[in-house]
Amino acid sequence: MSAPEHEATPPELTPQELSRRDFLKRAAGASAIALTGVGLAAALLDANGPPASDPVGAATSAKGLGDYSLPELRGKPGRMAIVRGVVPANSQAAQPDRKAMLERALAALGGLGAFIKPGDRVLLKVNAAFATSPLLGATTHPDLVAAVTSLCLAAGAASVALTDNPVHSPESCFALTGISEAAAKSGAKVILPGENLFVPVSVPPSGNIGGRLIRDWPTLAGPFKGVTKVIALSPVKDHRRAGASMTLKNFYGLLGGRRNVFHQDINGIIAELALLVRPTLCVLDGVTVMLTNGPTGGSLSDLKAMHVMAVTTDPVAADSFGMELLGRAVTEAPYIKLAETAGAGNADYKALNPQFLDLGA
Amino acid sequence: MRIPLNIVTARRISQIFFVLLTLWLCAVATLGATFWRLSGWQVNFILQLDPLTALGTLLATRTWYAQLLWAIPVIALTAFLGRVFCGFACPLGALNQAVGWLARRVTAKIPGARAAALRARLADNRHSPWQAAKYYVLAFLLASACFGSLQTGLLDPLPLLFRSLNMTVAPVVDAGFQALFLKPRHYASAWLLFTVFAAILGLNFLRPRFFCRYVCPLGALFGLLNRFAPWRMGKRDDAAHGECGNCTLCDTYCEGACSPSGALVASECLMCMNCLDACPKERMTFAGRASAGGEEHLPEPTRRGFLFAALTGALSAPLWTIGGLAETGKNPLLIRPPGSLDEARFLSRCLRCGQCMRVCPTNVIQPALTEAGLEGLWTPVLNYRLGTSGCQVQCVACGNVCPTAAIRPLTLDEKLGQGKFAAKGPVRLGTAFFDRSRCLPWAFERPCLVCQELCPVSPKAIYTRTIFEPIRFGQADFVAAQGSRLSLAGLPRPTVNLGSGDYYLRPAGLSAMASPEAGLRRINAAIWAEQGQTLTLDAAPDAKQGWKLSPGSVVEVVVRLQKPYVDAARCIGCGVCEHECPIAGLRGVRVSFENESRSGPGRMLI
Amino acid sequence: MAARERTISTAQRNASLAVLALVCAIAAYLLVRQPQLNPAVLVSLRAPAPKAGVAAQPGGSVAAAALATPETPGTSAAGGAKQATLASLLPDAVPGVKALAAAESFNPTTLSDKIDGKAELYLAAGFAAMACRSYQAGLGRVELYLYRMKSPDAAFAAFSGQRRQGATQSPLAKNGYLTENALFLTSGSDYLEVIADRTGQRPALEALAKAVLAGLAPAREAKAEAQSGTKAEAKSGAQPAADLSPPDLFPVAGLKADSLRLAVADAFGCQGLTSVYTAEYDASFGGAAALLSRRKSPAEAKAQLELYRRYLTDNGFAAQAVPGAPSGAVVLTLEGIGVEVLFTRGPLLAGVHEAPDLTTALKLATALDMALKAKGLDK
């Protein structure tokens, strides 16, 4: 900023020597600037120009969200239990107790301890797509969330979290569906779909499915970090475009971005979702089933009380059972067969030899 | 023999060379292989010399693009010799200096005029603390670049000059003799571009090289780079040259206003060398030591202003992101040239130099005024109405003249999606959409098929479905038939040429029948008179096809329409359809950015 | 600024000269770079031939290609593969030469897009595929064309059909020559043209040709290996005279260098006359040409003779009996045009074409007959 300070220089130097010293200092400084330029250019040189698409996205793209099925069951027929509940006599409740149904079904499958080990970190994929009352059956019922959470914690799970990327505002969805409250009471953590939790993900192809639609697609991968078990909790609903919305369609809530472009190939995308994540367990809640005006419903007249719940390791089988609840053929939701072709499960739930249980008996 | 060549003359020759070179490079930037066309001219040479461009893109992209390596020798030269680029090379600096000189030429032969002019000049060239302003400008621009928004080109003199020449001076000058352009060029917001350019030149009346002293961020960068320049201008103080008389002639002619007679502000010295020439005692030198009058580096201690400017610059980029214009809120009409990077990366590279707009053979590339938001001011955007056609399929000019690869230099194979790019498909700029309330066949039952005919994609991205529709006021009473000649009554005066071949006659009420073409007879000629109408058909009407040839039966005129549709999976968004659409204002078919290649997945079709 | 009389110091003068030198250096650099056309200019100058897969749906094009293959087995797919390898034989760069653009490939239907007017010549000779590429060599441009013909004969026909006489023999190939600005040669079924836009480019031409030949060699070896099983027996032992091809049978005395040509079809303009080799002779034979064509059988040779004889008589030639002609020879003359002599020896059709007079015609016919006899082909 100013001429060299004279106080700092030893007095014996002549002005010429001073000038010479200054010159050398400056020459060194100038060389440093020039060399910094050269060094930066050499270190950061981009000889070929930028690539057509942003390489950052491709670099972080993972292969699906993971396989959380039990290793000992892989490649083998899934396990399934179907339970019919009853509304207890002398009770205020209009619906059967989901926790009792769940416990009965799990007991038939060897107890939740067969699936959740002490120390497991469990993620629940709930359907919280809409900010509507749980009475309308468009979302996962809070009683089911609470029941699964408390059973997991009882089985020794280190943590239970739940997530979804809903259609409506996430905070409203989790609050109005009662899921937030159920989670808070039972000890599950609600993970809201913050933008930084989405990561570009690709689904590796399997058979004719995969590798086509979910390609470097922003997917809700953040909540899966450190997770060891995944349980899908899905209602059974009519769906105008897809035929029905149950377990596999529930995974649509893991997609981010402008995901609605996928409605051009709804069966293709749901079949790829079956490959995106393989859950440990699927709970299909058919206590009330939305028969019409799905997937939002909006009226109690859209619902029918069926008082049934399925617990299975096979998401495809779960959906084939759901179609039966809806009174529809499996072929009316073509993605079920597609998912089976891709090796994601069995499109005929009866092939799993499900155990039929009846709490009323 | 000694050549009478002093350094000021050499500086002037060099400046004239760079100005002429700039004009030449602007003039030749038209596609063609001859000497006065683009051929192999390095039209970006001067832009590539620019260290501010190199540094700005470096901060914004974390890479140093190979095309910008020419900045290295300029940086090295500045580090050792000072702002020689400003004094000897910068074409805008030379223009500023020339205007400032013209503004201060003494012409009146009035006694004392010369002395007064010299006094005024001395006042004009006195150092001002406001010269620190350009460092704030630089801090703002570089901080903004750090966050991915490259705005240096707005005020960087080299892109600014090229932009101004390309889009205001060249089209205006060439309008007279049409050496560069076959048709007059159009550039949106040329008025604003020229206002800025003219203001920069005009400010030289206020102070010589006003822009260079107060505004220029490139000059500010040079002012920082010469911090340690071992050789610099200065006053010598030795016995051989005697005492400095403080005549201030050096100050009088100093272009950089760096006060050479006193404590010389080294960062402001433009290396015009005028002091060297002006000093009657030859006391001014360019040497490896500090000036005898003392030396400072920067105009003022400016840390606070610098930090404030940097902070606002750093905030500007995130604030622009909040606007969402690069993502969810993107203007549907923001169509970038073929090969453009995705919007975020594009804005980290585009200099707004206007080279793509200059070279585009169809003039569709336009400087954005509002299309890309404030952040994208004067970035290239395609306007299919202004150009002379759409984006030419067999053309890759824009990317190949882009100095920073904001528009990637495509090969034809990549642009068309052939050869090894076959799996990727062609580069799409957007998708054409028909506005059925404006398209002639859709809205006005008028035959028209220009868009489909001129769609350059193979197979065509525009296809048609033929239908026959009754025209308004097209019913008449059958009077008599004579072979294929029919006499009718009651047909209102037609507003179209019924004999054009697009119009047909059929018995009224047949449309409910199975075949939509039942009973149709083409009208080959029509004569209309109030009292009766005669139509000549292509064949005699056939009773078997529903014709009742009895007087009083009703017939109707129908028009054959080929209604156009877009096959979005094939449309590349070249805009030829939009350009050629006969609806002159808001076109009946318009391209918007949906499905553009650069946006990545989820753009529209899957 | 007021002009002042003053001396200019040496340092200042040198600095000024250095500035001017730098300016000149920049100008020189820009002028040197100027002839290297911008890729955009190259694209703007010539429209490339259409290629498959233009504007196809992404991903869909692959499927479309896969679907198309079964419909045209072995033709389009195999042809495409062959073309791809052909284009890949054209190097990106050799020392001092670098490619200006990607190689382009052409097939029989698209060839005329590239070499309009001359395409017929190659198509008639038996054309399979062509790849070409532009190069920058110093200040000039070089165009390289690699033609894959259906057989070595076809390659030779394309080569010999345009041979310029008086050119320098190329050391790179037996059938190869250099002109002032170009190099032409054949290698197996391939015919290579390397053409510069100015003279003095021989090193660049040869470097490019060598690079292409080097690429061709491994391909040919692989092919030979694959065929060796079938052809090995036939090739064992000394080559019998009956298998000698016409180029080896022409009499050597008086033969003009580089005059051997092959007309694959429509030789001398006569429809149906095929695979005729001609060789020109010097002034001692009046500049006449000898012709030879190997047919499948003696009967076919006779039929070809008859075909050509009728063609000649249709065009005004008159047959005449001449003593001293080779046995069985037909001699036809047309005043002002010349003399043609035709005879057969076993499966060979032989003769003399465009002799200026009867004497030289008979001299060359006899020489040819004797040469065939010497090889044991006098039946």
Side-chain angles (χ1 to χ4, degrees):
Chain A
M1 292 281 162
S2 63
E5 292 175 32
H6 293 276
E7 296 85 356
T9 49
E12 63 265 26
L13 286 176
T14 67
Q16 266 174 344
E17 281 168 326
L18 265 177
S19 163
R20 183 173 169 72
R21 260 177 69 149
D22 180 56
F23 179 82
L24 289 177
K25 266 194 214 160
R26 296 182 72 110
S31 306
I33 287 177
L35 287 176
T36 305
V38 173
L40 278 174
L44 300 171
L45 183 68
D46 172 16
N48 302 319
S53 52
D54 196 344
V56 178
T60 53
S61 180
K63 296 288 178 206
L65 291 175
D67 185 349
Y68 299 91
S69 60
L70 292 183
E72 60 266 31
L73 288 177
R74 281 175 205 164
K76 294 183 188 142
R79 301 169 63 192
M80 191 171 194
I82 297 164
V83 60
R84 176 180 302 280
V86 287
V87 183
N90 320 322
S91 161
Q92 305 280 29
Q95 295 183 347
D97 180 12
R98 285 181 167 83
K99 189 170 185 187
M101 293 168 74
L102 186 64
E103 280 175 328
R104 182 66 196 273
L106 283 170
L109 297 176
L112 189 60
F115 304 96
I116 306 294
K117 303 291 179 204
D120 267 340
R121 305 168 72 85
V122 183
L123 179 69
L124 309 181
K125 171 62 185 76
V126 299
N127 183 339
F130 306 107
T132 53
S133 157
L135 291 175
L136 292 173
T139 51
T140 301
H141 199 277
D143 290 356
L144 181 62
V145 173
V148 173
T149 304
S150 53
L151 287 175
C152 283
L153 291 174
S159 69
V160 179
L162 58 86
T163 196
D164 191 17
N165 181 25
V167 175
H168 297 158
S169 150
E171 289 95 335
S172 314
C173 284
F174 283 106
L176 295 182
T177 54
I179 292 176
S180 280
E181 193 187 347
K185 276 185 184 161
S186 55
K189 183 183 169 209
V190 176
I191 302 178
L192 294 175
E195 190 62 32
N196 54 354
L197 298 181
F198 288 86
V199 167
V201 163
S202 300
V203 167
S206 168
N208 294 327
I209 310 296
R212 189 170 61 87
L213 299 175
I214 306 180
R215 210 165 42 177
D216 293 338
W217 193 268
T219 301
L220 188 52
F224 285 81
K225 209 168 189 180
V227 161
T228 53
K229 297 285 160 62
V230 171
I231 304 178
L233 311 178
S234 321
V236 180
K237 301 194 288 178
D238 168 56
H239 192 280
R240 179 54 62 95
R241 178 78 182 93
S245 168
M246 298 162 297
T247 312
L248 296 176
K249 178 68 175 60
N250 185 1
F251 294 145
Y252 201 81
L254 295 173
L255 297 175
R258 295 188 54 77
R259 60 185 175 187
N260 292 343
V261 293
F262 292 132
H263 269 57
Q264 294 166 59
D265 184 2
I266 194 74
N267 291 302
I269 187 67
I270 300 175
E272 285 202 9
L273 287 170
L275 299 174
L276 176 69
V277 59
R278 313 274 187 123
T280 319
L281 266 183
C282 307
V283 181
L284 193 64
D285 182 356
V287 172
T288 56
V289 172
M290 184 186 292
L291 289 177
T292 49
N293 290 321
T296 52
S299 162
L300 291 174
S301 64
D302 293 322
L303 306 178
K304 183 183 176 190
M306 294 250 183
H307 296 184
V308 176
M309 180 183 289
V311 179
T312 174
T313 58
D314 182 340
V316 185
D319 281 8
S320 73
F321 172 68
M323 290 303 276
E324 196 172 290
L325 288 184
L326 287 165
R328 297 172 192 178
V330 168
T331 47
E332 287 180 61
Y335 62 81
I336 296 178
K337 288 280 189 192
L338 289 175
E340 181 186 53
T341 320
N346 203 316
D348 176 12
Y349 76 94
K350 288 179 180 134
L352 271 55
N353 288 321
Q355 305 195 40
F356 292 95
L357 311 159
D358 197 340
L359 290 177
Chain B
M1 178 198 136
R2 294 208 146 207
I3 305 163
L5 176 69
N6 71 9
I7 191 73
V8 172
T9 310
R11 187 254 294 155
R12 288 187 187 133
I13 292 172
S14 174
Q15 284 181 299
I16 289 169
F17 169 78
F18 275 97
V19 169
L20 292 179
L21 179 62
T22 304
L23 295 176
W24 175 253
L25 293 182
C26 171
V28 297
T30 305
L31 283 182
T34 46
F35 190 74
W36 60 92
R37 287 296 184 237
L38 179 60
S39 51
W41 288 110
Q42 303 290 300
V43 285
N44 291 328
F45 178 71
I46 289 179
L47 291 166
Q48 288 165 344
L49 291 175
D50 191 336
L52 182 56
T53 298
L55 181 60
T57 53
L58 179 77
L59 293 174
T61 68
R62 314 289 190 264
T63 61
W64 194 308
Y65 184 42
Q67 300 259 323
L68 305 174
L69 284 177
W70 276 112
I72 297 276
V74 177
I75 290 172
L77 214 56
T78 309
F80 284 95
L81 300 178
R83 294 171 64 175
V84 283
F85 187 88
C86 303
F88 284 75
C90 180
L92 185 60
L95 291 177
N96 279 330
Q97 192 165 344
V99 173
W101 173 72
L102 282 173
R104 283 164 186 80
R105 222 154 42 110
V106 181
T107 47
K109 298 233 182 268
I110 305 164
R114 187 175 159 74
L118 280 180
R119 275 197 303 280
R121 195 187 281 258
L122 178 61
D124 281 348
N125 287 342
R126 190 158 284 148
H127 179 71
S128 156
W130 285 101
Q131 286 173 238
K134 61 178 174 293
Y135 296 93
Y136 305 153
V137 172
L138 177 69
F140 178 92
L141 296 175
L142 292 184
S144 174
C146 280
F147 290 85
S149 177
L150 186 71
Q151 302 291 330
T152 58
L154 287 178
L155 288 172
D156 186 335
L158 303 178
L160 188 153
L161 180 60
F162 271 89
R163 179 171 69 228
S164 306
L165 291 176
N166 283 339
M167 284 180 283
T168 65
V169 179
V172 170
V173 170
D174 192 63
F177 40 96
Q178 293 180 13
L180 302 181
F181 313 113
L182 279 179
K183 289 183 179 175
R185 297 286 268 200
H186 295 288
Y187 289 108
S189 81
W191 61 273
L192 185 57
L193 288 161
F194 191 76
T195 303
V196 171
F197 185 51
I200 287 171
L201 294 183
L203 283 168
N204 292 300
F205 283 85
L206 214 58
R207 293 278 184 280
R209 295 191 72 151
F210 183 99
F211 178 82
C212 312
R213 288 183 194 174
Y214 300 103
V215 186
C216 181
L218 178 59
L221 180 61
F222 283 133
L224 297 176
L225 288 175
N226 80 354
R227 171 71 184 86
F228 300 110
W231 290 280
R232 52 229 194 258
M233 301 304 301
K235 207 157 63 164
R236 60 185 156 193
D237 197 7
D238 53 37
H241 293 85
E243 290 282 309
C244 170
N246 288 324
C247 65
T248 63
L249 273 172
C250 51
D251 289 350
T252 307
Y253 291 101
C254 178
E255 289 288 333
C258 63
S259 66
S261 72
L264 194 148
V265 190
S267 72
E268 301 307 293
C269 174
L270 294 177
M271 304 297 291
C272 68
M273 306 281 176
N274 281 347
C275 54
L276 210 79
D277 210 33
C279 179
K281 293 280 171 74
E282 297 184 30
R283 290 170 51 85
M284 294 306 298
T285 62
F286 180 71
R289 61 176 172 271
S291 175
E295 194 176 72
E296 287 174 15
H297 184 243
L298 284 170
E300 281 286 298
T302 55
R303 189 160 296 168
R304 196 175 295 175
F306 206 78
L307 280 178
F308 178 75
L311 202 65
T312 46
L315 271 173
S316 69
L319 282 172
W320 275 316
T321 311
I322 285 177
L325 287 177
E327 290 178 8
T328 40
K330 193 160 83 177
N331 182 341
L333 298 182
L334 180 60
I335 299 159
R336 297 285 193 197
S340 295
L341 300 173
D342 54 90
E343 191 65 6
R345 287 196 301 152
F346 185 88
L347 291 174
S348 71
R349 286 175 175 269
C350 178
L351 296 179
R352 307 107 204 265
C353 61
Q355 295 287 70
C356 52
M357 311 172 199
R358 168 68 185 83
V359 82
C360 176
T362 55
N363 195 197
V364 283
I365 310 184
Q366 295 288 326
L369 186 61
T370 57
E371 292 91 331
L374 190 58
E375 186 187 11
L377 179 67
W378 295 329
T379 53
V381 59
L382 269 57
N383 183 329
Y384 295 128
R385 283 179 63 202
L386 266 188
T388 59
S389 177
C391 173
Q392 299 296 283
V393 171
Q394 308 264 353
C395 174
V396 293
C398 47
N400 280 288
V401 299
C402 179
T404 59
I407 309 170
R408 293 170 51 245
L410 298 180
T411 61
L412 198 58
D413 272 359
E414 183 172 4
K415 185 181 182 193
L416 303 182
Q418 57 189 17
K420 64 176 177 169
F421 297 95
K424 249 179 101 185
V427 171
R428 301 158 198 279
L429 308 180
T431 305
F433 292 82
F434 278 103
D435 184 339
R436 293 188 181 183
S437 68
R438 301 184 71 85
C439 166
L440 289 174
W442 279 109
F444 306 118
E445 56 190 47
R446 295 275 175 147
C448 173
L449 206 51
V450 182
C451 51
Q452 192 272 348
E453 288 158 8
L454 297 178
C455 174
V457 181
S458 173
K460 283 183 187 291
I462 297 179
Y463 62 98
T464 61
R465 290 191 171 136
T466 303
I467 60 155
F468 293 87
E469 282 187 352
I471 67 168
R472 191 178 185 218
F473 303 128
Q475 292 211 337
D477 295 329
F478 177 82
V479 175
Q482 210 176 16
S484 60
R485 272 166 70 100
L486 262 65
S487 300
L488 305 178
L491 182 70
R493 180 191 282 276
T495 53
V496 292
N497 175 12
L498 289 183
S500 68
D502 289 315
Y503 295 89
Y504 291 70
L505 197 69
R506 71 179 175 197
L510 270 187
S511 56
M513 290 179 55
S515 165
E517 297 182 23
L520 286 176
R521 284 281 178 268
R522 174 151 60 187
I523 302 170
N524 281 347
I527 301 166
W528 189 90
E530 188 70 46
Q531 59 275 23
Q533 302 85 39
T534 310
L535 301 185
T536 309
L537 306 180
D538 60 345
D542 187 349
K544 275 184 250 166
Q545 290 188 346
W547 285 86
K548 292 191 204 72
L549 298 173
S550 50
S553 70
V554 181
V555 293
E556 64 180 358
V557 177
V558 297
V559 58
R560 177 176 177 273
L561 295 172
Q562 289 163 297
K563 294 196 167 178
Y565 295 79
V566 175
D567 181 348
R570 297 199 186 283
C571 180
I572 57 173
C574 70
V576 169
C577 53
E578 177 174 347
H579 183 269
E580 303 296 339
C581 177
I583 310 294
L586 188 60
R587 304 284 156 102
V589 57
R590 299 188 295 278
V591 177
S592 49
F593 75 76
E594 288 85 352
N595 218 22
E596 62 178 354
S597 303
R598 69 190 191 111
S599 283
R603 44 199 190 240
M604 184 171 85
L605 298 188
I606 55 167
Chain C
M1 212 176 304
R4 264 180 298 275
E5 288 295 324
R6 61 162 51 172
T7 53
I8 299 158
S9 73
T10 315
Q12 184 175 161
R13 197 170 55 97
N14 289 345
S16 307
L17 287 173
V19 168
L20 296 190
L22 189 62
V23 164
C24 291
I26 290 172
Y29 162 76
L30 293 172
L31 283 170
V32 166
R33 291 288 304 269
Q34 191 272 339
Q36 299 175 26
L37 297 185
N38 187 303
V41 175
L42 287 176
V43 166
S44 76
L45 290 182
R46 60 192 157 90
K51 294 178 192 175
V54 180
Q57 202 176 345
S61 60
V62 179
L67 283 176
T69 313
E71 290 169 32
T72 49
T75 50
S76 72
K82 198 186 283 175
Q83 277 186 32
T85 57
L86 202 58
S88 67
L89 289 170
L90 309 189
D92 291 329
V94 295
V97 185
K98 69 172 197 290
L100 284 171
E104 297 174 76
S105 298
F106 300 89
N107 61 32
T109 43
T110 57
L111 182 66
S112 56
D113 299 340
K114 179 68 186 175
I115 48 165
D116 195 20
K118 241 171 76 178
E120 278 312 308
L121 194 149
Y122 298 95
L123 294 171
F127 170 83
M130 188 271 269
C132 66
R133 200 166 187 184
S134 302
Y135 293 88
Q136 181 85 38
L139 290 179
R141 287 185 64 179
V142 177
E143 303 287 334
L144 194 157
Y145 301 84
L146 177 59
Y147 293 86
R148 175 138 303 167
M149 308 298 288
K150 285 179 178 157
S151 65
D153 273 356
F156 183 73
F159 168 78
S160 62
Q162 336 173 50
R163 172 148 50 187
R164 287 172 229 183
Q165 292 201 347
T168 322
Q169 169 70 33
S170 165
L172 295 178
K174 188 177 136 230
N175 293 322
Y177 65 95
L178 280 151
T179 67
E180 280 184 332
N181 69 327
L183 169 63
F184 305 88
L185 59 84
T186 68
S187 168
S189 303
D190 296 312
Y191 168 53
L192 185 67
E193 296 180 351
V194 198
I195 304 166
D197 64 352
R198 58 196 69 196
T199 57
Q201 293 275 48
R202 182 168 166 179
L205 302 180
E206 295 195 323
L208 276 172
K210 270 185 202 157
V212 174
L213 288 174
L216 286 172
R220 185 146 313 117
E221 276 159 25
K223 202 171 164 188
E225 221 163 272
Q227 292 182 344
S228 60
T230 54
K231 290 241 172 118
E233 295 155 42
K235 289 216 169 165
S236 63
Q239 199 175 6
D243 276 0
L244 283 176
S245 73
D248 305 318
L249 298 173
F250 284 108
V252 181
L255 180 64
K256 273 198 220 167
D258 304 331
S259 69
L260 192 65
R261 274 165 221 267
L262 169 62
V264 172
D266 302 343
F268 316 130
C270 171
Q271 243 179 20
L273 187 62
T274 58
S275 297
V276 178
Y277 282 89
T278 56
E280 286 175 33
Y281 284 79
D282 60 18
S284 61
F285 293 98
L291 68 91
L292 274 174
S293 174
R294 177 179 287 283
R295 316 307 309 181
K296 289 197 192 85
S297 64
E300 196 192 308
K302 286 210 165 63
Q304 285 271 302
L305 187 149
E306 186 52 30
L307 180 81
Y308 187 42
R309 191 194 63 76
R310 193 173 314 123
Y311 170 75
L312 288 172
T313 49
D314 285 351
N315 282 289
F317 279 80
Q320 61 180 122
V322 179
S327 66
V330 185
V331 181
L332 300 114
T333 48
L334 178 59
E335 204 59 47
I337 300 292
V339 183
E340 305 269 324
V341 183
L342 298 171
F343 57 95
T344 63
R345 291 292 178 263
L348 285 173
L349 168 67
V352 172
H353 177 59
E354 284 187 356
D357 54 57
L358 202 56
T359 322
T360 50
L362 289 180
K363 187 178 168 193
L364 182 55
T366 310
L368 180 60
D369 194 22
M370 297 303 283
L372 294 178
K373 197 173 277 177
K375 306 262 178 176
L377 292 165
D378 50 348
K379 297 264 161 44

